[in-house]
Amino acid sequence: MSERKPIYTTQSDQDWADLLSPGRRQLLVNTGLAAATLVSTAFSADALAAEQVRLTPGATPPPAPPRPTPGKSPWGYETYKQPTPRPVSLRPGESTLPTTPRRYTDIKSYHAHVYFDEDTHEKAALIRKWTAERFNVELGDWNLEPRGPHVTPSFYFGFTNDLVPIIIPWLQLNSLGLTILLHPNTEDPRSDHLYYALWVNRSQPVNAYHWPKPEPGKEPEIEQIYPNTRPSVKLES
Protein backbone atom coordinates (compact mmCIF):
# COMPACT_ATOMS: atom_id res chain seq x y z
CA MET A 1 0.00 0.00 0.00
CA SER A 2 1.40 3.36 -0.99
CA GLU A 3 1.95 5.96 1.69
CA ARG A 4 -0.78 8.65 1.81
CA LYS A 5 0.54 12.14 1.25
CA PRO A 6 -0.13 14.68 3.98
CA ILE A 7 -2.65 17.44 3.39
CA TYR A 8 -1.19 20.91 3.93
CA THR A 9 -3.16 23.97 5.02
CA THR A 10 -1.59 25.98 2.23
CA GLN A 11 -3.86 24.39 -0.37
CA SER A 12 -6.50 26.57 -2.01
CA ASP A 13 -10.14 26.75 -0.94
CA GLN A 14 -11.03 24.73 -4.06
CA ASP A 15 -8.67 21.94 -2.98
CA TRP A 16 -10.43 21.81 0.37
CA ALA A 17 -13.83 21.63 -1.35
CA ASP A 18 -12.64 18.78 -3.58
CA LEU A 19 -11.55 16.77 -0.54
CA LEU A 20 -15.04 16.95 0.97
CA SER A 21 -17.65 14.43 -0.06
CA PRO A 22 -20.71 15.60 -2.00
CA GLY A 23 -22.90 14.70 0.98
CA ARG A 24 -20.76 16.81 3.32
CA ARG A 25 -20.91 19.77 0.98
CA GLN A 26 -24.69 19.47 0.70
CA LEU A 27 -24.97 19.37 4.51
CA LEU A 28 -23.02 22.57 4.85
CA VAL A 29 -25.13 24.30 2.21
CA ASN A 30 -28.42 23.27 3.86
CA THR A 31 -27.32 24.31 7.34
CA GLY A 32 -25.97 27.81 7.05
CA LEU A 33 -25.74 28.14 10.79
CA ALA A 34 -23.31 25.20 10.95
CA ALA A 35 -21.13 26.82 8.31
CA ALA A 36 -21.15 30.07 10.22
CA THR A 37 -20.19 28.23 13.40
CA LEU A 38 -17.11 26.74 11.71
CA VAL A 39 -15.74 30.20 11.05
CA SER A 40 -17.01 31.90 14.25
CA THR A 41 -13.52 32.35 15.58
CA ALA A 42 -12.78 34.68 12.68
CA PHE A 43 -15.90 36.83 13.20
CA SER A 44 -16.90 39.19 15.95
CA ALA A 45 -20.30 38.75 17.57
CA ASP A 46 -21.85 41.36 15.28
CA ALA A 47 -20.31 39.89 12.13
CA LEU A 48 -21.49 36.40 13.06
CA ALA A 49 -25.06 37.61 13.54
CA ALA A 50 -24.99 39.35 10.17
CA GLU A 51 -23.65 36.22 8.48
CA GLN A 52 -26.40 34.13 10.04
CA VAL A 53 -29.06 36.50 8.70
CA ARG A 54 -27.46 36.42 5.26
CA LEU A 55 -27.52 32.60 5.13
CA THR A 56 -31.12 32.35 6.38
CA PRO A 57 -33.65 32.62 3.55
CA GLY A 58 -36.30 35.31 4.08
CA ALA A 59 -34.61 36.79 7.17
CA THR A 60 -35.14 40.48 7.94
CA PRO A 61 -31.85 42.36 8.21
CA PRO A 62 -31.23 44.22 11.50
CA PRO A 63 -32.19 47.91 11.53
CA ALA A 64 -29.47 50.43 10.91
CA PRO A 65 -28.44 52.60 13.88
CA PRO A 66 -30.28 55.95 14.00
CA ARG A 67 -28.47 58.92 12.59
CA PRO A 68 -28.20 62.09 14.71
CA THR A 69 -30.83 64.67 13.90
CA PRO A 70 -29.29 67.61 12.08
CA GLY A 71 -29.38 70.79 14.13
CA LYS A 72 -27.38 73.50 15.80
CA SER A 73 -26.33 73.83 19.44
CA PRO A 74 -28.00 76.81 21.14
CA TRP A 75 -24.58 77.64 22.60
CA GLY A 76 -22.88 77.91 19.22
CA TYR A 77 -19.62 76.28 18.23
CA GLU A 78 -16.96 78.65 19.57
CA THR A 79 -17.81 78.77 23.28
CA TYR A 80 -14.19 78.05 24.11
CA LYS A 81 -13.37 81.59 22.94
CA GLN A 82 -15.58 83.23 25.55
CA PRO A 83 -13.75 85.34 28.16
CA THR A 84 -14.02 84.65 31.86
CA PRO A 85 -16.15 87.52 33.24
CA ARG A 86 -15.90 88.81 36.76
CA PRO A 87 -18.93 87.58 38.73
CA VAL A 88 -21.37 89.95 40.37
CA SER A 89 -20.55 90.65 44.01
CA LEU A 90 -21.97 88.11 46.44
CA ARG A 91 -21.99 90.74 49.17
CA PRO A 92 -24.58 93.31 48.12
CA GLY A 93 -24.43 96.51 50.05
CA GLU A 94 -20.83 96.02 51.16
CA SER A 95 -19.09 99.34 51.58
CA THR A 96 -15.75 100.38 50.17
CA LEU A 97 -12.54 99.79 52.11
CA PRO A 98 -12.44 101.76 55.37
CA THR A 99 -9.77 104.36 56.00
CA THR A 100 -9.25 103.40 59.65
CA PRO A 101 -9.86 100.20 61.65
CA ARG A 102 -12.83 99.88 63.95
CA ARG A 103 -12.52 100.09 67.72
CA TYR A 104 -12.67 96.73 69.48
CA THR A 105 -14.84 98.40 72.11
CA ASP A 106 -17.64 98.53 69.52
CA ILE A 107 -18.32 94.90 70.50
CA LYS A 108 -20.70 94.87 73.45
CA SER A 109 -21.39 91.12 73.78
CA TYR A 110 -21.33 87.80 71.89
CA HIS A 111 -23.68 85.09 70.70
CA ALA A 112 -22.82 81.42 70.28
CA HIS A 113 -25.06 79.47 67.90
CA VAL A 114 -24.77 75.69 68.19
CA TYR A 115 -26.00 73.84 65.10
CA PHE A 116 -27.28 70.26 65.08
CA ASP A 117 -29.55 67.86 63.19
CA GLU A 118 -31.57 64.71 63.86
CA ASP A 119 -28.36 62.69 64.25
CA THR A 120 -26.53 65.08 66.60
CA HIS A 121 -29.28 66.55 68.81
CA GLU A 122 -28.06 64.57 71.83
CA LYS A 123 -24.62 66.21 71.54
CA ALA A 124 -26.29 69.63 71.34
CA ALA A 125 -28.35 68.85 74.45
CA LEU A 126 -25.20 67.90 76.35
CA ILE A 127 -23.38 71.12 75.35
CA ARG A 128 -26.45 73.11 76.37
CA LYS A 129 -26.57 71.39 79.78
CA TRP A 130 -22.83 71.83 80.40
CA THR A 131 -23.02 75.53 79.45
CA ALA A 132 -25.95 76.29 81.76
CA GLU A 133 -24.27 74.49 84.65
CA ARG A 134 -20.96 76.40 84.37
CA PHE A 135 -21.56 79.88 82.97
CA ASN A 136 -23.72 82.90 83.68
CA VAL A 137 -25.19 83.33 80.18
CA GLU A 138 -28.46 84.15 78.42
CA LEU A 139 -29.68 80.76 77.18
CA GLY A 140 -32.22 80.85 74.35
CA ASP A 141 -34.88 78.32 73.33
CA TRP A 142 -34.45 75.35 71.01
CA ASN A 143 -34.95 76.21 67.33
CA LEU A 144 -35.94 72.88 65.80
CA GLU A 145 -36.32 74.43 62.35
CA PRO A 146 -34.27 77.05 60.47
CA ARG A 147 -34.84 80.46 61.98
CA GLY A 148 -33.61 83.89 60.96
CA PRO A 149 -30.27 83.65 59.17
CA HIS A 150 -29.63 80.14 60.52
CA VAL A 151 -30.34 77.44 57.95
CA THR A 152 -30.35 74.42 60.29
CA PRO A 153 -31.77 73.68 63.76
CA SER A 154 -29.83 75.40 66.53
CA PHE A 155 -29.83 76.95 69.95
CA TYR A 156 -27.95 80.02 71.10
CA PHE A 157 -26.57 81.54 74.25
CA GLY A 158 -25.33 85.08 74.75
CA PHE A 159 -22.44 86.15 76.96
CA THR A 160 -20.64 89.32 77.95
CA ASN A 161 -17.17 90.36 76.84
CA ASP A 162 -15.50 89.36 80.09
CA LEU A 163 -16.29 85.69 79.35
CA VAL A 164 -14.74 85.72 75.85
CA PRO A 165 -11.28 84.40 76.90
CA ILE A 166 -12.98 81.56 78.82
CA ILE A 167 -15.98 80.48 76.73
CA ILE A 168 -14.28 80.48 73.32
CA PRO A 169 -11.50 78.03 74.29
CA TRP A 170 -14.01 76.02 76.33
CA LEU A 171 -16.23 75.61 73.26
CA GLN A 172 -13.23 74.69 71.12
CA LEU A 173 -12.50 71.80 73.47
CA ASN A 174 -16.11 70.81 74.12
CA SER A 175 -17.87 71.22 70.78
CA LEU A 176 -18.30 67.43 70.40
CA GLY A 177 -17.68 67.95 66.69
CA LEU A 178 -20.66 70.26 66.16
CA THR A 179 -20.52 73.44 64.12
CA ILE A 180 -20.68 76.55 66.32
CA LEU A 181 -20.97 80.14 65.12
CA LEU A 182 -19.57 82.85 67.41
CA HIS A 183 -20.36 86.43 66.45
CA PRO A 184 -20.11 89.77 68.22
CA ASN A 185 -23.03 92.11 68.80
CA THR A 186 -22.52 95.56 67.31
CA GLU A 187 -24.80 98.10 65.66
CA ASP A 188 -24.50 96.12 62.38
CA PRO A 189 -26.14 92.66 62.79
CA ARG A 190 -25.62 91.88 59.11
CA SER A 191 -21.86 92.23 59.35
CA ASP A 192 -21.85 90.53 62.76
CA HIS A 193 -23.13 87.32 61.16
CA LEU A 194 -21.31 87.53 57.81
CA TYR A 195 -17.94 89.20 58.33
CA TYR A 196 -17.12 89.39 62.03
CA ALA A 197 -17.90 85.75 62.81
CA LEU A 198 -15.70 83.04 64.28
CA TRP A 199 -16.33 79.33 63.69
CA VAL A 200 -15.66 76.27 65.81
CA ASN A 201 -15.13 73.28 63.49
CA ARG A 202 -16.45 73.65 59.94
CA SER A 203 -18.45 76.66 58.80
CA GLN A 204 -21.83 76.56 57.09
CA PRO A 205 -23.98 79.04 55.12
CA VAL A 206 -25.55 81.94 56.97
CA ASN A 207 -28.51 83.55 55.20
CA ALA A 208 -28.01 87.17 56.19
CA TYR A 209 -27.12 88.76 52.85
CA HIS A 210 -30.66 90.11 52.48
CA TRP A 211 -30.36 92.10 55.69
CA PRO A 212 -29.92 95.80 54.94
CA LYS A 213 -26.72 97.48 56.00
CA PRO A 214 -27.48 100.14 58.65
CA GLU A 215 -27.51 103.70 57.40
CA PRO A 216 -25.28 106.21 59.20
CA GLY A 217 -27.17 107.73 62.11
CA LYS A 218 -29.92 105.07 61.90
CA GLU A 219 -28.11 102.08 63.37
CA PRO A 220 -30.31 99.69 65.40
CA GLU A 221 -29.83 99.33 69.10
CA ILE A 222 -27.21 96.77 70.06
CA GLU A 223 -28.80 93.62 71.45
CA GLN A 224 -28.47 93.41 75.18
CA ILE A 225 -27.56 90.28 77.14
CA TYR A 226 -29.69 89.34 80.17
CA PRO A 227 -28.21 86.24 81.85
CA ASN A 228 -30.82 83.69 82.90
CA THR A 229 -28.72 80.75 84.14
CA ARG A 230 -27.43 79.96 87.63
CA PRO A 231 -24.10 78.09 87.46
CA SER A 232 -24.03 75.09 89.82
CA VAL A 233 -20.87 73.25 88.68
CA LYS A 234 -17.36 74.54 89.20
CA LEU A 235 -15.59 75.18 85.90
CA GLU A 236 -12.81 72.66 85.24
CA SER A 237 -9.42 74.35 85.08
Side-chain angles (χ1 to χ4, degrees), residues 31-78:
T31 57
L33 180 59
T37 304
L38 291 175
V39 295
S40 62
T41 56
F43 286 91
S44 66
D46 292 340
L48 181 58
E51 183 67 11
Q52 180 178 351
V53 170
R54 186 184 68 81
L55 295 176
T56 304
T60 302
R67 294 179 176 273
T69 304
K72 184 177 180 181
S73 169
W75 309 110
Y77 294 94
E78 294 187 348

Side-chain angles (χ1 to χ4, degrees), residues 190-203:
R190 179 179 183 275
S191 294
D192 292 342
H193 287 79
L194 295 178
Y195 310 136
Y196 306 153
L198 300 174
W199 292 92
V200 176
N201 296 318
R202 68 203 67 80
S203 63

Side-chain angles (χ1 to χ4, degrees), residues 1 7 16 34 44-46 49 54 56 58 73 94 100 116-117 133 176 180 191 221 233:
M1 181 182 294
I7 299 175
W16 277 103
S44 66
D46 292 340
R54 186 184 68 81
T56 304
S73 169
E94 186 177 21
T100 57
F116 60 93
D117 57 26
E133 291 175 342
L176 304 182
I180 300 176
S191 294
E221 294 183 3
V233 176

Side-chain angles (χ1 to χ4, degrees), residues 119-137:
D119 297 321
T120 59
H121 67 281
E122 292 181 348
K123 292 182 177 181
L126 187 56
I127 295 174
R128 181 183 174 90
K129 175 177 178 292
W130 285 348
T131 300
E133 291 175 342
R134 289 163 174 79
F135 301 106
N136 194 25
V137 298

Side-chain angles (χ1 to χ4, degrees), residues 7-213:
I7 299 175
Y8 298 99
T9 57
T10 56
Q11 293 174 306
S12 66
D13 293 341
Q14 185 63 49
D15 294 334
W16 277 103
D18 292 339
L19 289 173
L20 297 173
S21 66
R24 178 67 172 172
R25 291 200 303 271
Q26 187 63 38
L27 178 62
L28 292 177
V29 170
N30 293 338
T31 57
L33 180 59
T37 304
L38 291 175
V39 295
S40 62
T41 56
F43 286 91
S44 66
D46 292 340
L48 181 58
E51 183 67 11
Q52 180 178 351
V53 170
R54 186 184 68 81
L55 295 176
T56 304
T60 302
R67 294 179 176 273
T69 304
K72 184 177 180 181
S73 169
W75 309 110
Y77 294 94
E78 294 187 348
T79 53
Y80 66 93
K81 294 182 180 180
Q82 293 177 347
T84 303
R86 181 173 181 173
V88 179
S89 174
L90 296 180
R91 298 174 178 176
E94 186 177 21
S95 61
T96 58
L97 290 176
T99 57
T100 57
R102 294 193 62 176
R103 302 182 301 269
Y104 76 91
T105 53
D106 288 345
I107 297 176
K108 305 305 180 184
S109 60
Y110 279 82
H111 280 176
H113 297 271
V114 180
Y115 299 111
F116 60 93
D117 57 26
E118 63 271 19
D119 297 321
T120 59
H121 67 281
E122 292 181 348
K123 292 182 177 181
L126 187 56
I127 295 174
R128 181 183 174 90
K129 175 177 178 292
W130 285 348
T131 300
E133 291 175 342
R134 289 163 174 79
F135 301 106
N136 194 25
V137 298
E138 181 182 61
L139 186 61
D141 291 334
W142 290 104
N143 296 318
L144 300 182
E145 295 180 354
R147 180 178 180 183
H150 309 290
V151 299
T152 60
S154 65
F155 77 87
Y156 100 96
F157 63 88
F159 54 98
T160 51
N161 290 354
D162 58 300
L163 290 177
V164 168
I166 300 174
I167 286 185
I168 290 180
W170 185 85
L171 285 174
Q172 288 175 307
L173 298 179
N174 295 285
S175 67
L176 304 182
L178 300 186
T179 291
I180 300 176
L181 166 65
L182 293 155
H183 70 77
N185 291 316
T186 70
E187 79 290 342
D188 187 354
R190 179 179 183 275
S191 294
D192 292 342
H193 287 79
L194 295 178
Y195 310 136
Y196 306 153
L198 300 174
W199 292 92
V200 176
N201 296 318
R202 68 203 67 80
S203 63
Q204 70 176 42
V206 177
N207 187 22
Y209 287 105
H210 64 286
W211 286 0
K213 188 174 180 62

